[in-house]
Amino acid sequence: MSVALALTVQDKDTLRSAAYGAVSLMAAADAVAGKPHKAATHGCLALACATGPVGHVLAERTRIKDLGGASAAALADQVLPALAAAMDLLNQQSPAAAADFRGTVLIAVEAAARAHRGEPGPVAAAMARRIADALGAV
């Protein structure tokens, strides 16, 4: 059963910025390992596999603005509140869609964290916890 979402262009931008921003944060955290592009690739591929209404929003080919923070801290200042805003927006319309978004982002974060075929390092694990907290995942 598909859930219909009434999302504005701005709402969709918020969802995409939050999801892809989470992957960008994981790539920034993976810079310690020296290959952030691997984390970004694995995370983005996971987002590309999303299904349902959330998958349709994430698959739209629009430019995501302002994800090029000068530092991980600047990026986190933007992305973590966007994740919380996305969850609030989706919870108002459909708790099922909110759960789907949370699960999709957490899978992408895990894919990014394990890009090097092992357990994530302490920096990536800490970033994953911050993202999960922003999503309200317990």
mmCIF file of all heavy atoms in Angstrom, residues 10-46:
data_model
loop_
_atom_site.group_PDB
_atom_site.id
_atom_site.type_symbol
_atom_site.label_atom_id
_atom_site.label_comp_id
_atom_site.label_asym_id
_atom_site.label_seq_id
_atom_site.Cartn_x
_atom_site.Cartn_y
_atom_site.Cartn_z
ATOM 1 N N GLN A 10 9.696 22.907 -1.576
ATOM 2 C CA GLN A 10 10.582 23.162 -0.447
ATOM 3 C C GLN A 10 10.658 21.948 0.480
ATOM 4 O O GLN A 10 11.736 21.602 0.981
ATOM 5 C CB GLN A 10 10.119 24.384 0.337
ATOM 6 C CG GLN A 10 11.053 24.751 1.467
ATOM 7 C CD GLN A 10 10.609 26.014 2.199
ATOM 8 O OE1 GLN A 10 9.621 26.643 1.853
ATOM 9 N NE2 GLN A 10 11.348 26.375 3.229
ATOM 10 N N ASP A 11 9.524 21.276 0.707
ATOM 11 C CA ASP A 11 9.517 20.065 1.532
ATOM 12 C C ASP A 11 10.416 18.991 0.917
ATOM 13 O O ASP A 11 11.202 18.349 1.616
ATOM 14 C CB ASP A 11 8.098 19.506 1.666
ATOM 15 C CG ASP A 11 7.152 20.394 2.434
ATOM 16 O OD1 ASP A 11 7.614 21.281 3.183
ATOM 17 O OD2 ASP A 11 5.919 20.207 2.280
ATOM 18 N N LYS A 12 10.280 18.800 -0.389
ATOM 19 C CA LYS A 12 11.103 17.799 -1.072
ATOM 20 C C LYS A 12 12.580 18.158 -0.990
ATOM 21 O O LYS A 12 13.424 17.279 -0.786
ATOM 22 C CB LYS A 12 10.661 17.662 -2.524
ATOM 23 C CG LYS A 12 9.292 17.034 -2.682
ATOM 24 C CD LYS A 12 8.888 17.003 -4.144
ATOM 25 C CE LYS A 12 7.503 16.416 -4.321
ATOM 26 N NZ LYS A 12 7.135 16.358 -5.754
ATOM 27 N N ASP A 13 12.883 19.440 -1.140
ATOM 28 C CA ASP A 13 14.279 19.887 -1.010
ATOM 29 C C ASP A 13 14.818 19.580 0.385
ATOM 30 O O ASP A 13 15.967 19.162 0.535
ATOM 31 C CB ASP A 13 14.402 21.384 -1.287
ATOM 32 C CG ASP A 13 14.275 21.737 -2.761
ATOM 33 O OD1 ASP A 13 14.359 20.823 -3.615
ATOM 34 O OD2 ASP A 13 14.089 22.933 -3.058
ATOM 35 N N THR A 14 13.975 19.776 1.400
ATOM 36 C CA THR A 14 14.387 19.487 2.779
ATOM 37 C C THR A 14 14.706 18.005 2.941
ATOM 38 O O THR A 14 15.731 17.642 3.533
ATOM 39 C CB THR A 14 13.291 19.912 3.776
ATOM 40 O OG1 THR A 14 13.102 21.317 3.667
ATOM 41 C CG2 THR A 14 13.660 19.546 5.207
ATOM 42 N N LEU A 15 13.845 17.141 2.410
ATOM 43 C CA LEU A 15 14.076 15.696 2.521
ATOM 44 C C LEU A 15 15.359 15.290 1.812
ATOM 45 O O LEU A 15 16.168 14.523 2.360
ATOM 46 C CB LEU A 15 12.891 14.914 1.952
ATOM 47 C CG LEU A 15 11.555 15.060 2.666
ATOM 48 C CD1 LEU A 15 10.488 14.241 1.959
ATOM 49 C CD2 LEU A 15 11.665 14.658 4.118
ATOM 50 N N ARG A 16 15.544 15.788 0.583
ATOM 51 C CA ARG A 16 16.759 15.431 -0.161
ATOM 52 C C ARG A 16 18.010 15.985 0.511
ATOM 53 O O ARG A 16 19.025 15.288 0.624
ATOM 54 C CB ARG A 16 16.656 15.911 -1.607
ATOM 55 C CG ARG A 16 15.787 15.003 -2.479
ATOM 56 C CD ARG A 16 15.900 15.358 -3.946
ATOM 57 N NE ARG A 16 15.443 16.711 -4.224
ATOM 58 C CZ ARG A 16 14.176 17.061 -4.436
ATOM 59 N NH1 ARG A 16 13.234 16.134 -4.411
ATOM 60 N NH2 ARG A 16 13.849 18.303 -4.684
ATOM 61 N N SER A 17 17.951 17.231 0.963
ATOM 62 C CA SER A 17 19.117 17.825 1.644
ATOM 63 C C SER A 17 19.467 17.048 2.903
ATOM 64 O O SER A 17 20.642 16.828 3.206
ATOM 65 C CB SER A 17 18.841 19.284 2.011
ATOM 66 O OG SER A 17 18.744 20.071 0.862
ATOM 67 N N ALA A 18 18.447 16.639 3.642
ATOM 68 C CA ALA A 18 18.682 15.885 4.872
ATOM 69 C C ALA A 18 19.308 14.528 4.569
ATOM 70 O O ALA A 18 20.320 14.150 5.177
ATOM 71 C CB ALA A 18 17.365 15.711 5.633
ATOM 72 N N ALA A 19 18.730 13.792 3.629
ATOM 73 C CA ALA A 19 19.220 12.442 3.328
ATOM 74 C C ALA A 19 20.627 12.478 2.729
ATOM 75 O O ALA A 19 21.538 11.784 3.204
ATOM 76 C CB ALA A 19 18.253 11.734 2.380
ATOM 77 N N TYR A 20 20.807 13.282 1.691
ATOM 78 C CA TYR A 20 22.126 13.347 1.063
ATOM 79 C C TYR A 20 23.132 14.068 1.953
ATOM 80 O O TYR A 20 24.332 13.781 1.905
ATOM 81 C CB TYR A 20 22.028 13.975 -0.333
ATOM 82 C CG TYR A 20 21.430 13.005 -1.323
ATOM 83 C CD1 TYR A 20 20.076 13.031 -1.629
ATOM 84 C CD2 TYR A 20 22.205 12.022 -1.912
ATOM 85 C CE1 TYR A 20 19.515 12.120 -2.512
ATOM 86 C CE2 TYR A 20 21.663 11.100 -2.798
ATOM 87 C CZ TYR A 20 20.317 11.153 -3.091
ATOM 88 O OH TYR A 20 19.765 10.232 -3.951
ATOM 89 N N GLY A 21 22.649 14.974 2.793
ATOM 90 C CA GLY A 21 23.522 15.624 3.760
ATOM 91 C C GLY A 21 24.053 14.634 4.783
ATOM 92 O O GLY A 21 25.212 14.729 5.209
ATOM 93 N N ALA A 22 23.212 13.678 5.178
ATOM 94 C CA ALA A 22 23.670 12.644 6.116
ATOM 95 C C ALA A 22 24.810 11.837 5.501
ATOM 96 O O ALA A 22 25.808 11.537 6.168
ATOM 97 C CB ALA A 22 22.503 11.729 6.506
ATOM 98 N N VAL A 23 24.679 11.520 4.216
ATOM 99 C CA VAL A 23 25.744 10.794 3.525
ATOM 100 C C VAL A 23 27.003 11.667 3.444
ATOM 101 O O VAL A 23 28.123 11.176 3.629
ATOM 102 C CB VAL A 23 25.278 10.337 2.124
ATOM 103 C CG1 VAL A 23 26.441 9.795 1.307
ATOM 104 C CG2 VAL A 23 24.179 9.282 2.258
ATOM 105 N N SER A 24 26.816 12.962 3.193
ATOM 106 C CA SER A 24 27.962 13.879 3.148
ATOM 107 C C SER A 24 28.670 13.941 4.501
ATOM 108 O O SER A 24 29.904 14.007 4.558
ATOM 109 C CB SER A 24 27.505 15.280 2.741
ATOM 110 O OG SER A 24 27.010 15.276 1.429
ATOM 111 N N LEU A 25 27.899 13.929 5.583
ATOM 112 C CA LEU A 25 28.512 13.908 6.914
ATOM 113 C C LEU A 25 29.328 12.642 7.129
ATOM 114 O O LEU A 25 30.418 12.681 7.704
ATOM 115 C CB LEU A 25 27.435 14.019 8.000
ATOM 116 C CG LEU A 25 26.890 15.402 8.270
ATOM 117 C CD1 LEU A 25 25.731 15.328 9.249
ATOM 118 C CD2 LEU A 25 27.984 16.315 8.816
ATOM 119 N N MET A 26 28.798 11.522 6.661
ATOM 120 C CA MET A 26 29.538 10.266 6.803
ATOM 121 C C MET A 26 30.809 10.298 5.962
ATOM 122 O O MET A 26 31.853 9.792 6.389
ATOM 123 C CB MET A 26 28.656 9.073 6.410
ATOM 124 C CG MET A 26 27.508 8.824 7.375
ATOM 125 S SD MET A 26 28.029 8.588 9.094
ATOM 126 C CE MET A 26 28.963 7.061 8.954
ATOM 127 N N ALA A 27 30.747 10.899 4.782
ATOM 128 C CA ALA A 27 31.949 11.029 3.956
ATOM 129 C C ALA A 27 32.971 11.922 4.653
ATOM 130 O O ALA A 27 34.171 11.625 4.636
ATOM 131 C CB ALA A 27 31.586 11.589 2.582
ATOM 132 N N ALA A 28 32.504 13.001 5.264
ATOM 133 C CA ALA A 28 33.417 13.881 6.001
ATOM 134 C C ALA A 28 34.059 13.127 7.161
ATOM 135 O O ALA A 28 35.254 13.271 7.419
ATOM 136 C CB ALA A 28 32.669 15.111 6.514
ATOM 137 N N ALA A 29 33.281 12.315 7.843
ATOM 138 C CA ALA A 29 33.818 11.519 8.951
ATOM 139 C C ALA A 29 34.807 10.468 8.441
ATOM 140 O O ALA A 29 35.749 10.101 9.138
ATOM 141 C CB ALA A 29 32.686 10.850 9.723
ATOM 142 N N ASP A 30 34.591 10.009 7.216
ATOM 143 C CA ASP A 30 35.467 8.985 6.642
ATOM 144 C C ASP A 30 36.753 9.573 6.079
ATOM 145 O O ASP A 30 37.641 8.835 5.666
ATOM 146 C CB ASP A 30 34.724 8.206 5.556
ATOM 147 C CG ASP A 30 35.397 6.891 5.237
ATOM 148 O OD1 ASP A 30 35.726 6.142 6.179
ATOM 149 O OD2 ASP A 30 35.622 6.617 4.043
ATOM 150 N N ALA A 31 36.859 10.888 6.066
ATOM 151 C CA ALA A 31 38.092 11.510 5.568
ATOM 152 C C ALA A 31 39.295 11.050 6.375
ATOM 153 O O ALA A 31 40.418 11.014 5.859
ATOM 154 C CB ALA A 31 37.970 13.031 5.607
ATOM 155 N N VAL A 32 39.060 10.639 7.613
ATOM 156 C CA VAL A 32 40.130 10.117 8.465
ATOM 157 C C VAL A 32 40.740 8.868 7.828
ATOM 158 O O VAL A 32 41.941 8.656 7.891
ATOM 159 C CB VAL A 32 39.580 9.796 9.880
ATOM 160 C CG1 VAL A 32 40.614 9.114 10.733
ATOM 161 C CG2 VAL A 32 39.079 11.066 10.533
ATOM 162 N N ALA A 33 39.903 8.055 7.181
ATOM 163 C CA ALA A 33 40.381 6.835 6.535
ATOM 164 C C ALA A 33 41.037 7.135 5.189
ATOM 165 O O ALA A 33 41.657 6.262 4.597
ATOM 166 C CB ALA A 33 39.233 5.850 6.344
ATOM 167 N N GLY A 34 40.868 8.352 4.698
ATOM 168 C CA GLY A 34 41.532 8.743 3.473
ATOM 169 C C GLY A 34 40.762 8.511 2.193
ATOM 170 O O GLY A 34 41.240 8.831 1.122
ATOM 171 N N LYS A 35 39.551 7.951 2.265
ATOM 172 C CA LYS A 35 38.779 7.684 1.051
ATOM 173 C C LYS A 35 37.310 8.059 1.249
ATOM 174 O O LYS A 35 36.425 7.202 1.204
ATOM 175 C CB LYS A 35 38.899 6.231 0.649
ATOM 176 C CG LYS A 35 40.320 5.855 0.256
ATOM 177 C CD LYS A 35 40.375 4.472 -0.312
ATOM 178 C CE LYS A 35 41.816 4.162 -0.698
ATOM 179 N NZ LYS A 35 41.949 2.831 -1.245
ATOM 180 N N PRO A 36 37.035 9.350 1.461
ATOM 181 C CA PRO A 36 35.645 9.752 1.693
ATOM 182 C C PRO A 36 34.743 9.500 0.495
ATOM 183 O O PRO A 36 33.533 9.319 0.665
ATOM 184 C CB PRO A 36 35.746 11.246 2.014
ATOM 185 C CG PRO A 36 37.047 11.683 1.448
ATOM 186 C CD PRO A 36 37.949 10.481 1.518
ATOM 187 N N HIS A 37 35.318 9.451 -0.702
ATOM 188 C CA HIS A 37 34.488 9.204 -1.880
ATOM 189 C C HIS A 37 33.854 7.817 -1.844
ATOM 190 O O HIS A 37 32.755 7.626 -2.353
ATOM 191 C CB HIS A 37 35.302 9.399 -3.163
ATOM 192 C CG HIS A 37 36.445 8.448 -3.301
ATOM 193 N ND1 HIS A 37 37.634 8.623 -2.613
ATOM 194 C CD2 HIS A 37 36.573 7.319 -4.019
ATOM 195 C CE1 HIS A 37 38.447 7.619 -2.909
ATOM 196 N NE2 HIS A 37 37.841 6.820 -3.754
ATOM 197 N N LYS A 38 34.519 6.851 -1.240
ATOM 198 C CA LYS A 38 33.935 5.505 -1.126
ATOM 199 C C LYS A 38 32.699 5.533 -0.230
ATOM 200 O O LYS A 38 31.682 4.921 -0.544
ATOM 201 C CB LYS A 38 34.959 4.519 -0.561
ATOM 202 C CG LYS A 38 35.860 3.900 -1.568
ATOM 203 C CD LYS A 38 36.697 2.832 -0.910
ATOM 204 C CE LYS A 38 36.487 1.539 -1.665
ATOM 205 N NZ LYS A 38 37.375 0.478 -1.211
ATOM 206 N N ALA A 39 32.799 6.238 0.885
ATOM 207 C CA ALA A 39 31.658 6.347 1.788
ATOM 208 C C ALA A 39 30.504 7.060 1.090
ATOM 209 O O ALA A 39 29.347 6.630 1.182
ATOM 210 C CB ALA A 39 32.060 7.093 3.062
ATOM 211 N N ALA A 40 30.812 8.136 0.381
ATOM 212 C CA ALA A 40 29.769 8.888 -0.322
ATOM 213 C C ALA A 40 29.103 8.032 -1.387
ATOM 214 O O ALA A 40 27.869 8.036 -1.517
ATOM 215 C CB ALA A 40 30.371 10.145 -0.941
ATOM 216 N N THR A 41 29.889 7.288 -2.124
ATOM 217 C CA THR A 41 29.337 6.436 -3.179
ATOM 218 C C THR A 41 28.422 5.367 -2.605
ATOM 219 O O THR A 41 27.306 5.177 -3.086
ATOM 220 C CB THR A 41 30.474 5.782 -3.994
ATOM 221 O OG1 THR A 41 31.247 6.825 -4.596
ATOM 222 C CG2 THR A 41 29.927 4.855 -5.063
ATOM 223 N N HIS A 42 28.871 4.683 -1.576
ATOM 224 C CA HIS A 42 28.058 3.620 -0.980
ATOM 225 C C HIS A 42 26.772 4.182 -0.376
ATOM 226 O O HIS A 42 25.700 3.587 -0.505
ATOM 227 C CB HIS A 42 28.862 2.858 0.077
ATOM 228 C CG HIS A 42 29.863 1.921 -0.512
ATOM 229 N ND1 HIS A 42 29.705 0.561 -0.527
ATOM 230 C CD2 HIS A 42 31.055 2.161 -1.131
ATOM 231 C CE1 HIS A 42 30.736 0.001 -1.119
ATOM 232 N NE2 HIS A 42 31.576 0.952 -1.498
ATOM 233 N N GLY A 43 26.868 5.318 0.286
ATOM 234 C CA GLY A 43 25.683 5.937 0.873
ATOM 235 C C GLY A 43 24.695 6.405 -0.182
ATOM 236 O O GLY A 43 23.485 6.185 -0.059
ATOM 237 N N CYS A 44 25.200 7.023 -1.245
ATOM 238 C CA CYS A 44 24.316 7.506 -2.313
ATOM 239 C C CYS A 44 23.655 6.348 -3.062
ATOM 240 O O CYS A 44 22.486 6.446 -3.447
ATOM 241 C CB CYS A 44 25.084 8.398 -3.279
ATOM 242 S SG CYS A 44 25.455 10.023 -2.589
ATOM 243 N N LEU A 45 24.385 5.276 -3.254
ATOM 244 C CA LEU A 45 23.779 4.103 -3.893
ATOM 245 C C LEU A 45 22.646 3.539 -3.041
ATOM 246 O O LEU A 45 21.612 3.120 -3.560
ATOM 247 C CB LEU A 45 24.832 3.029 -4.164
ATOM 248 C CG LEU A 45 25.807 3.346 -5.296
ATOM 249 C CD1 LEU A 45 26.928 2.308 -5.347
ATOM 250 C CD2 LEU A 45 25.083 3.425 -6.623
ATOM 251 N N ALA A 46 22.832 3.545 -1.736
ATOM 252 C CA ALA A 46 21.771 3.071 -0.846
ATOM 253 C C ALA A 46 20.546 3.979 -0.948
ATOM 254 O O ALA A 46 19.409 3.495 -1.001
ATOM 255 C CB ALA A 46 22.276 3.006 0.594
#
